[in-house]
Amino acid sequence: MKKISRRNFLLASGAVTIGAALAACGGSSASTSTASSATASSAASEAPAAQGKVLNIWCWNDEFQSRFNAYYPEVSEVAEDKSTTTLKDGTVVKWTINPNENNNYQNKLDEALLSQDSAADDDKIDIFLIEADYALKYVDSDYALDVKADIGLTDDDLSGQYQYTKDIVTVDGSQRGTTWQATPGLFAYRRSIAKDVLGTDDPTEVQSYLSDWDKFNDVAAQAYAKGYKMLSGFDDSFRTFSNNISAPWVDGTTINVDPNMMKWVDQTKEYTDKGYNNKSSLWDSQWAADQGPTGKVFGFFYSTWGINFTLLGNSLETPVADGETPQVGNGIYGDYAVCEGPQPYYWGGTWICGAAGSDNIELIRDIMQKLTCDEAIMKQITLDTQDYTNNEKAMNEIANSDYSSDFLGGQNHIALFAEAAGKIDMSNAGPYDQGITESFQAAFKDYFTGNVDEDTAKANFQTAIQEKYPELTDVVWPA
């Protein structure tokens, strides 16, 4: 397997190399450790027999931490501030959570991985989490262990998982991560608005009105005539287009802008000019408010995690305490439903990687096995949290049961997710995807708002890419 070199590992995160100094993207100081990739590879293949008593896990939010503390059978005690978890055998799990704003998580993770060889045993990273947008950067390097050859998971352990969740973290036949979730996407819409605009809130009937982009645009016009916005802002439909490109963004040193990305540009410009959206940006306060009781937006493109982690919370008028179940009547809880929408897509996903140099290989194997391969645990996570987990048999059982979501008006959304999951294709994913798509969205936001024309937005995108990835020399636009 040809691994990413130390220099290219940094370049993939937007860092630059100047002589012997390594400076991470955003100005953070990166490690100047002289340890080689060969040393990291050796650490991967020669795991010590003695297991450590401190397990260091790095992530960017508390999602995996909450899953670990609630569902890993070996958990004995969780610290009041949640900074550590103690296992039944006395092992202390230390959580390092660095939010990912401005690439903060990756920058700090890169520094730590580059210093892994010289770190004290109890300070070495044992497990780190990665997202789909930048997964290849880490799995095509010496810093992530092979989950079978190095960690010890078997083909039988992994047999129940969706194939795409294995493919995205596999390079040259070596799988270097595993996940508890699958993340197919759907279109979540307001039942009350659908009734007013279309005369029905039934998911099958609503889907018939939204089954392709021409129909979707027709409904946008109808919604506008009734005083509603079809989407909240500029980014809502982005992944539905970007996940359906015909080839990877990068070929050699050339960025090829797929025609589907320009379809997103054209649609979003039209929606902005005609008032079909609210000119919000993903995660801003307007976008969140549009999902709540005062919102007048027809719907939102969301994958599995978004339904229970984000949309549900934003729908409430009165927040609920941890562990408390919201009720219908609290805000617009119960007024959403989901349908397939115009195109299949996925959004996100979090993978667990074992770090080269760890002295806790047996424990990493058990965590991966229990939290990503155990059918009963996967099924329970879904039943408890509405998250869609990475076990095809368990999800099909729920899909074909009388399971229902009060939040989605009694709908069994797992059935739709199960159908969508089989359509996910990660073959066009690449290590530069996150940086390229973020720059693309930022450049064209100025075009949508009328601050620049389309040609200037294209030029600004090219400038941003040249600054972020100087090794990518050309940008080719569709004819």
Side-chain angles (χ1 to χ4, degrees), residues 280-332:
S280 71
S281 294
L282 207 62
W283 309 115
D284 72 14
S285 58
Q286 181 65 57
W287 181 78
D290 283 344
Q291 299 172 34
T294 62
K296 290 192 173 184
V297 172
F298 193 101
F300 299 81
F301 288 97
Y302 260 127
S303 71
T304 49
W305 55 266
I307 301 295
N308 57 319
F309 274 102
T310 307
L311 186 63
L312 190 157
N314 286 336
S315 77
L316 303 177
E317 183 173 0
T318 305
V320 297
D322 286 345
E324 184 180 343
T325 302
Q327 302 295 319
V328 174
N330 183 350
I332 53 172

Side-chain angles (χ1 to χ4, degrees), residues 104-125:
N104 176 61
Y105 172 68
Q106 287 189 65
N107 289 342
K108 290 184 176 178
L109 177 61
D110 293 351
E111 292 179 28
L113 290 174
L114 287 167
S115 300
Q116 182 86 330
D117 297 338
S118 59
D121 286 347
D122 286 351
D123 295 330
K124 290 182 187 295
I125 299 175

Side-chain angles (χ1 to χ4, degrees), residues 275-399:
Y276 294 175
N277 67 36
N278 234 355
K279 300 182 180 180
S280 71
S281 294
L282 207 62
W283 309 115
D284 72 14
S285 58
Q286 181 65 57
W287 181 78
D290 283 344
Q291 299 172 34
T294 62
K296 290 192 173 184
V297 172
F298 193 101
F300 299 81
F301 288 97
Y302 260 127
S303 71
T304 49
W305 55 266
I307 301 295
N308 57 319
F309 274 102
T310 307
L311 186 63
L312 190 157
N314 286 336
S315 77
L316 303 177
E317 183 173 0
T318 305
V320 297
D322 286 345
E324 184 180 343
T325 302
Q327 302 295 319
V328 174
N330 183 350
I332 53 172
Y333 185 96
D335 191 36
Y336 277 101
V338 291
C339 64
E340 294 92 332
Q343 286 184 289
Y345 73 100
Y346 63 91
W347 182 2
T350 302
W351 280 258
I352 306 168
C353 295
S358 170
D359 60 351
N360 284 290
I361 301 301
E362 291 180 12
L363 181 53
I364 294 173
R365 185 204 64 78
D366 192 61
I367 290 169
M368 286 182 168
Q369 200 283 327
K370 295 292 195 305
L371 292 183
T372 74
C373 303
D374 188 293
E375 180 185 333
I377 293 176
M378 296 296 96
K379 184 175 181 179
Q380 196 60 50
I381 291 174
T382 297
L383 292 175
D384 291 346
T385 70
Q386 301 190 49
D387 200 5
Y388 191 88
T389 46
N390 190 22
N391 188 282
E392 193 166 0
K393 182 180 177 183
M395 294 304 96
N396 286 337
E397 286 181 5
I398 297 175

Side-chain angles (χ1 to χ4, degrees), residues 453-464:
D453 61 21
E454 184 174 334
D455 287 341
T456 303
K458 289 180 177 180
N460 290 342
F461 169 68
Q462 293 183 210
T463 299

Side-chain angles (χ1 to χ4, degrees), residues 91-362:
T91 300
V92 175
V93 179
K94 290 186 177 179
W95 298 94
T96 299
I97 299 177
N98 291 306
N100 203 26
E101 285 77 12
N102 299 315
N103 218 50
N104 176 61
Y105 172 68
Q106 287 189 65
N107 289 342
K108 290 184 176 178
L109 177 61
D110 293 351
E111 292 179 28
L113 290 174
L114 287 167
S115 300
Q116 182 86 330
D117 297 338
S118 59
D121 286 347
D122 286 351
D123 295 330
K124 290 182 187 295
I125 299 175
D126 296 291
I127 286 173
F128 61 93
L129 284 295
I130 59 174
E131 286 190 289
D133 286 344
Y134 54 80
L136 281 176
K137 169 188 162 185
Y138 292 95
V139 301
D140 194 11
S141 78
D142 289 306
Y143 299 98
L145 299 175
D146 187 306
V147 300
K148 292 189 284 188
D150 298 324
I151 295 173
L153 292 180
T154 66
D155 288 334
D156 186 59
D157 287 330
L158 299 163
S159 63
Q161 297 183 345
Y162 287 97
Q163 187 61 42
Y164 95 88
T165 68
K166 295 181 278 189
D167 290 344
I168 194 173
V169 287
T170 298
V171 177
D172 296 337
S174 176
Q175 183 179 338
R176 295 180 171 255
T178 184
T179 180
W180 70 94
Q181 59 185 181
T183 57
L186 298 173
F187 184 67
Y189 64 89
R190 288 277 299 276
R191 287 179 177 271
S192 56
I193 295 177
K195 278 186 176 180
D196 191 20
V197 174
L198 302 175
T200 180
D201 70 342
D202 179 77
T204 300
E205 293 185 33
V206 171
Q207 172 60 19
S208 71
Y209 287 100
L210 303 176
S211 58
D212 61 43
W213 284 117
D214 288 339
K215 292 180 178 179
F216 193 92
N217 294 337
D218 288 342
V219 173
Q222 295 175 53
Y224 177 76
K226 287 274 191 174
Y228 303 109
K229 309 292 185 180
M230 189 65 186
L231 298 173
S232 176
F234 310 120
D235 314 307
D236 288 80
S237 65
F238 181 82
R239 287 181 181 272
T240 319
F241 285 96
S242 67
N243 286 175
N244 287 285
I245 58 177
S246 58
W249 276 94
V250 177
D251 180 12
T253 61
T254 299
I255 296 175
N256 293 297
V257 179
D258 193 88
N260 219 42
M261 300 315 307
M262 298 313 296
K263 290 180 181 178
W264 169 75
V265 170
D266 292 342
Q267 184 200 65
T268 306
K269 179 62 172 173
E270 179 185 8
Y271 276 32
T272 305
D273 290 348
K274 290 184 175 180
Y276 294 175
N277 67 36
N278 234 355
K279 300 182 180 180
S280 71
S281 294
L282 207 62
W283 309 115
D284 72 14
S285 58
Q286 181 65 57
W287 181 78
D290 283 344
Q291 299 172 34
T294 62
K296 290 192 173 184
V297 172
F298 193 101
F300 299 81
F301 288 97
Y302 260 127
S303 71
T304 49
W305 55 266
I307 301 295
N308 57 319
F309 274 102
T310 307
L311 186 63
L312 190 157
N314 286 336
S315 77
L316 303 177
E317 183 173 0
T318 305
V320 297
D322 286 345
E324 184 180 343
T325 302
Q327 302 295 319
V328 174
N330 183 350
I332 53 172
Y333 185 96
D335 191 36
Y336 277 101
V338 291
C339 64
E340 294 92 332
Q343 286 184 289
Y345 73 100
Y346 63 91
W347 182 2
T350 302
W351 280 258
I352 306 168
C353 295
S358 170
D359 60 351
N360 284 290
I361 301 301
E362 291 180 12

